[in-house]
Amino acid sequence: MKLLNQAIEKDQSGYVRVVPEEPEDMWHIYNLIQKGDQLQASTIRGVKSESSTGSVTTDRVRVKLTISIEDVFFDVQAGALRINGRNIAENRHVGIGQYHTLDLEMNQPFTLSKREWDLISLQRIKDACDITKQADVAAVTMHEGLAVICLLTQYMTVVRQRIEVAIPRKRKGSTSNYEKGLERFYDQVYRAIKQHIDFNVVKVVILGSPGFVRDQFFDYMMAQAIKSEDKVLIENKAKFLRVHTSSGHKGALEEVMRDPQIKARLADTKSTQEVKAMDDFYQMLNNNPDRAFYGYEDVRKAADNGAIGTLMVTDELFRAADIQTRRKYINLVEESKATNANVLVFSSLHVSGEQLQQLTGVAAILNFPLVLESDAEYSSSEDDDAQQTSNQDEEIDIV
């Protein structure tokens, strides 16, 4: 995304003018827009006109509209963003108060105005316009008869194609049908990789599978590339990284992103930082639970005690329609940053974000152990129960 202009006042009101250049930019914009914001963009609208003879014609004209946003729809697969609202600026084709739906287009500038630009929104603008923060990774998870081709960026995991091919079972004395089915499956995966992966952009292509499926497919793909003199695949052979996964489903990417080889290849990308943070959190939860909190109330108490070392929050919480809900999470981030905590905002469309969402969407690793009152009361209750049981046992022995 390209930033053309930005004007933020001292009271945090203001506007930004940007140009979306990549499909992922639409995801950033979706996260920026809130009900009540104002959007100015160029759009096509049907305009009816009546001639002197009474005939009515409809012409499609390009107009510049400013709407007060009421509803937003984002299609992840198509990368399409539709924004509905009322026109709030004079226009000879559209009256004030009339509804219109704006379809934001790639490489078309627009202006977004807010009453308040909070630090989360401003950071997202900064990240989206920083090309060095883009992670360029493709992944193919597969097992016999199933393959999922994904593109991973720092904010999204997008399934580009899911391939399912029925492969006949091996039969005693004949494996020809099985081999034909397997070859048909490999050929479809090979074609999908050529169709969906741009090797001018992608740095790493992860091939993950149980058993030897990934190795057999890789050998097939390179043999086909040599046979057809496919220079692109041959020259980018070193970009393929083969790793073990438990299945060919998209969920196997969670395992993939924890693999040491993957971490080494993607060491500087935001998605790897998030995966590592989740790994650290789970390890802390198992080994030292007083330093691993999740859920707003517990994490809030940890922040009040200045105990947070790493705060993890999903971006879904900042899209809450309720302003008070959104504000309380923004305050949590601000207070955590004030105590030098490392704050990571996870994308709900990334595998790590989906994992965090299962933990209420907010979690924290603490700098030091913290025992909450509820935990202390629970522990005290357990001790009392244990003491009472012990006394009962003693009485029984005495009798």
Side-chain angles (χ1 to χ4, degrees):
M1 189 150 62
K2 186 177 182 181
L3 181 64
L4 300 178
N5 195 8
Q6 176 177 315
I8 309 297
E9 304 297 334
K10 289 183 179 180
D11 64 356
Q12 296 303 302
S13 64
Y15 70 88
V16 295
R17 185 164 177 78
V18 295
V19 180
E21 298 176 314
E22 303 287 342
E24 186 177 345
D25 292 339
M26 294 300 184
W27 170 248
H28 289 296
I29 297 163
Y30 172 60
N31 278 279
L32 285 169
I33 290 174
Q34 295 288 316
K35 184 177 179 180
D37 292 348
Q38 296 177 8
L39 183 74
Q40 184 186 75
S42 178
T43 184
I44 301 293
R45 187 173 174 93
V47 178
K48 292 182 179 180
S49 58
E50 186 176 346
S51 67
S52 58
T53 60
S55 61
V56 178
T57 59
T58 300
D59 297 317
R60 294 180 65 80
V61 296
R62 183 169 285 277
V63 296
K64 182 178 284 188
L65 292 181
T66 303
I67 64 171
S68 177
I69 297 167
E70 293 192 7
D71 202 16
V72 183
F73 173 75
F74 179 61
D75 185 334
V76 177
Q77 298 302 325
L81 189 59
R82 308 193 75 190
I83 301 154
N84 182 258
R86 290 178 182 269
N87 180 42
I88 59 171
E90 289 287 348
N91 189 291
R92 69 190 185 95
H93 297 297
V94 185
I96 290 179
Q98 276 190 277
Y99 277 100
H100 185 83
T101 299
L102 289 172
D103 291 307
L104 291 189
E105 303 172 24
M106 299 284 287
N107 301 309
Q108 289 292 326
F110 69 89
T111 302
L112 179 65
S113 301
K114 288 177 174 286
R115 294 189 184 93
E116 180 186 4
W117 283 88
D118 56 62
L119 75 111
I120 298 296
S121 298
L122 291 174
Q123 186 62 46
R124 185 171 284 275
I125 287 286
K126 183 179 178 181
D127 290 346
C129 297
D130 184 357
I131 195 169
T132 64
K133 293 200 173 186
Q134 296 177 6
D136 307 311
V137 184
V140 182
T141 54
M142 60 196 310
H143 59 240
E144 285 191 359
L146 172 69
V148 181
I149 288 84
C150 301
L151 296 179
L152 285 76
T153 69
Q154 69 185 79
Y155 293 100
M156 301 170 69
T157 302
V158 180
V159 176
R160 301 304 297 171
Q161 189 172 345
R162 180 184 173 91
I163 298 168
E164 293 185 76
V165 175
I167 299 177
R169 294 182 179 180
K170 292 181 180 179
R171 297 183 180 276
K172 288 184 178 180
S174 174
T175 59
S176 59
N177 288 338
Y178 166 79
E179 289 171 353
K180 287 179 182 177
L182 197 60
E183 185 173 345
R184 191 166 60 251
F185 169 60
Y186 286 163
D187 184 63
Q188 289 192 31
V189 179
Y190 168 63
R191 292 177 184 275
I193 287 175
K194 287 172 60 66
Q195 179 183 351
H196 297 295
I197 297 176
D198 183 352
F199 286 94
N200 291 321
V201 176
V202 168
K203 298 172 184 175
V204 179
V205 183
I206 300 164
L207 279 181
S209 79
F212 300 100
V213 177
R214 60 188 178 279
D215 300 310
Q216 292 167 357
F217 167 72
F218 182 77
D219 292 342
Y220 171 87
M221 178 179 64
M222 296 316 301
Q224 290 296 112
I226 293 170
K227 183 178 178 180
S228 60
E229 296 183 352
D230 188 338
K231 291 184 178 180
V232 174
L233 269 176
I234 294 170
E235 290 173 359
N236 289 279
K237 179 180 178 180
K239 290 185 178 180
F240 286 85
L241 186 60
R242 289 170 277 176
V243 297
H244 173 80
T245 60
S246 58
S247 76
H249 296 283
K250 177 193 169 188
L253 285 174
E254 287 184 24
E255 309 165 24
V256 170
M257 296 304 287
R258 292 195 191 100
D259 188 283
Q261 293 183 70
I262 302 297
K263 289 181 179 179
R265 291 284 287 270
L266 309 177
D268 297 326
T269 67
K270 181 175 182 289
S271 59
T272 303
Q273 294 176 36
E274 294 175 352
V275 171
K276 183 180 183 303
M278 286 302 300
D279 283 347
D280 292 345
F281 175 81
Y282 279 117
Q283 287 179 21
M284 192 67 75
L285 192 63
N286 289 328
N287 301 327
N288 193 351
D290 290 337
R291 288 185 58 193
F293 284 13
Y294 63 92
Y296 175 77
E297 292 301 330
D298 285 357
V299 173
R300 165 85 266 166
K301 291 171 184 175
D304 290 342
N305 285 275
I308 296 179
T310 299
L311 176 68
M312 297 167 282
V313 192
T314 62
D315 55 16
E316 191 168 305
L317 297 173
F318 301 112
R319 293 198 302 271
D322 178 33
I323 295 175
Q324 294 302 318
T325 300
R326 176 181 168 83
R327 170 49 61 188
K328 76 178 186 180
Y329 285 105
I330 291 171
N331 289 341
L332 179 63
V333 169
E334 288 177 341
E335 290 178 25
S336 298
K337 283 191 172 183
T339 58
N340 296 318
N342 179 30
V343 177
L344 295 174
V345 179
F346 286 48
S347 169
S348 56
L349 287 187
H350 198 279
V351 287
S352 57
E354 293 172 0
Q355 196 176 11
L356 180 58
Q357 195 62 40
Q358 295 172 3
L359 295 172
T360 74
V362 59
I365 300 171
L366 310 191
N367 287 323
F368 51 84
L370 186 65
V371 179
L372 301 179
E373 288 183 9
S374 57
D375 294 337
E377 289 171 4
Y378 177 74
S379 176
S380 176
S381 175
E382 280 191 326
D383 291 343
D384 291 344
D385 290 342
Q387 183 62 41
Q388 185 176 356
T389 302
S390 175
N391 291 339
Q392 288 174 352
D393 290 342
E394 288 178 5
E395 290 174 5
I396 292 170
D397 290 340
I398 293 169
V399 173

